Amino acid sequence: MNPAAEGTTYPDVAFTVDPARVAAFRDLFGQRSGVPPTFVTAAEFAVLPAIVDDPALDLDFSRVVHGSQDYTFERPLREGETLTIRARLASIRVRGGNGFLTIEIEMLDAQGLPVCTARSRMTERAPDA
Amino acid sequence: MHGALEDDRTGAGRVTTSFDHLAPGSELPPLARVVTREDVAAYAEAGGDHNPLHRDDDVARAAGFPGIIAHGMFTMGHMAAGVVSWAGEEATIERLSAQFRAPVFMGDEIVAGGRVRSVDPATRTAVVETWVTLQRDGKTEWPIRKGEAVVRFA
């Protein structure tokens, strides 16, 4: 993981809140109506390949574990809507061979209004750790 | 603790919580489910996370686990289900956070819990401390520790 990549922003990605995937989430977590709050992780995964494959960041995803996750919602997601997903490498620290990466992802609706902000903290474990 | 429509697989109960009866210290009913390979495969598909740690036992063993592990976000989804089934589906989740601390193996029973930290009658909002625990080899493990939810009641 390269600390110099801190601050990198990635091209916007469009993500549609697909009703079939939402229904699968509801079924998995026993919710009868609406969009389960953690469905937003699917939107994060729309932009994650750009980060994982970024040669400037040089992340070894096979050594990455998810440390923490934080969502702030301005409103619930709506089935069928298309969101703009915008990712930024908010913080990168390397300590004792371990890399600590905070990814901040903003989700905007068709009017450009914020819907959700996600912060994911990932740890890239040192090889042979 | 759970309503009559409790779901055998997801554990989700149908509790109607009245905001007016909440106070700091109020406990959420614990929500338990056994994690299966089928659940984790369905989660990978729905969530779009196809990391082989959650699909391929050989890869998981090479990483030092006894077999595949559940996605952290599967466990957080269960934590959220505990909050939603307690607050009611009309309530709005304004914030949700979790720190992942221990892996979840197939066959583990995970239990989501929580406790009200504060309530704000003006906004009908409650701040809830949340967690997910499991028992393994006689010890309590914490797949999620220091979770938090901010819930606005209908």
Side-chain angles (χ1 to χ4, degrees):
Chain A
M1 194 185 296
N2 176 13
E6 184 174 281
T8 302
T9 57
Y10 293 89
D12 291 353
V13 174
F15 174 80
T16 298
V17 182
D18 174 32
R21 288 178 78 181
V22 172
F25 253 75
R26 275 200 300 264
D27 183 52
L28 263 169
F29 295 116
Q31 191 166 324
R32 286 170 299 175
S33 61
V35 180
T38 65
F39 181 80
V40 286
T41 185
E44 291 182 276
F45 271 90
V47 72
L48 203 62
I51 299 172
V52 171
D53 298 335
D54 180 356
L57 174 61
D58 191 23
L59 191 68
D60 180 353
F61 202 59
S62 71
R63 290 190 281 120
V64 166
V65 294
H66 198 169
S68 70
Q69 184 68 43
D70 188 319
Y71 297 115
T72 303
F73 294 93
E74 299 301 322
R75 64 164 173 81
L77 275 60
R78 296 174 187 139
E79 283 183 58
E81 74 175 331
T82 296
L83 301 171
T84 298
I85 314 298
R86 185 170 295 166
R88 176 174 169 270
L89 305 182
S91 161
I92 302 176
R93 297 284 178 271
V94 177
R95 219 165 39 230
N98 295 306
F100 301 90
L101 168 67
T102 301
I103 303 170
E104 191 170 285
I105 297 179
E106 280 188 285
M107 306 177 199
L108 310 169
D109 67 13
Q111 282 72 49
L113 297 172
V115 175
C116 177
T117 302
R119 282 181 157 264
S120 305
R121 290 190 181 80
M122 310 278 184
T123 303
E124 184 192 60
R125 294 187 292 183
D128 310 311
Chain B
M1 292 249 242
H2 300 310
L5 296 175
E6 182 173 339
D7 183 310
D8 286 342
R9 184 171 59 94
T10 66
R14 303 300 174 208
V15 185
T16 305
T17 299
S18 163
F19 178 80
D20 303 318
H21 294 136
L22 291 185
S26 298
E27 297 256 354
L28 279 61
L31 185 66
R33 78 180 292 166
V34 174
V35 180
T36 68
R37 238 162 224 284
E38 292 69 30
D39 290 337
V40 169
Y43 180 80
E45 197 57 42
D49 182 345
H50 299 286
N51 185 324
L53 268 183
H54 312 299
R55 172 163 45 80
D56 185 328
D57 285 316
D58 291 337
V59 169
R61 281 194 280 264
F65 301 112
I68 63 166
I69 61 173
H71 304 75
M73 288 306 305
F74 176 86
T75 305
M76 189 172 181
H78 180 66
M79 183 190 95
V83 174
V84 170
S85 71
W86 164 75
E89 294 182 5
E90 306 73 27
T92 307
I93 306 291
E94 297 191 334
R95 183 144 187 256
L96 200 62
S97 67
Q99 292 184 11
F100 302 110
R101 283 290 178 271
V104 173
F105 305 141
M106 300 307 96
D108 280 342
E109 183 181 60
I110 55 174
V111 182
R115 184 186 302 114
V116 173
R117 183 185 299 144
S118 62
V119 293
D120 179 1
T123 56
R124 294 181 62 79
T125 298
V127 179
V128 183
E129 296 170 41
T130 57
W131 54 79
V132 176
T133 60
L134 63 81
Q135 301 295 321
R136 187 182 293 136
D137 302 330
K139 278 191 353 201
T140 302
E141 303 277 354
W142 297 77
I144 292 178
R145 164 159 238 164
K146 289 190 184 170
E148 186 180 276
V150 178
V151 186
R152 187 154 42 84
F153 282 73

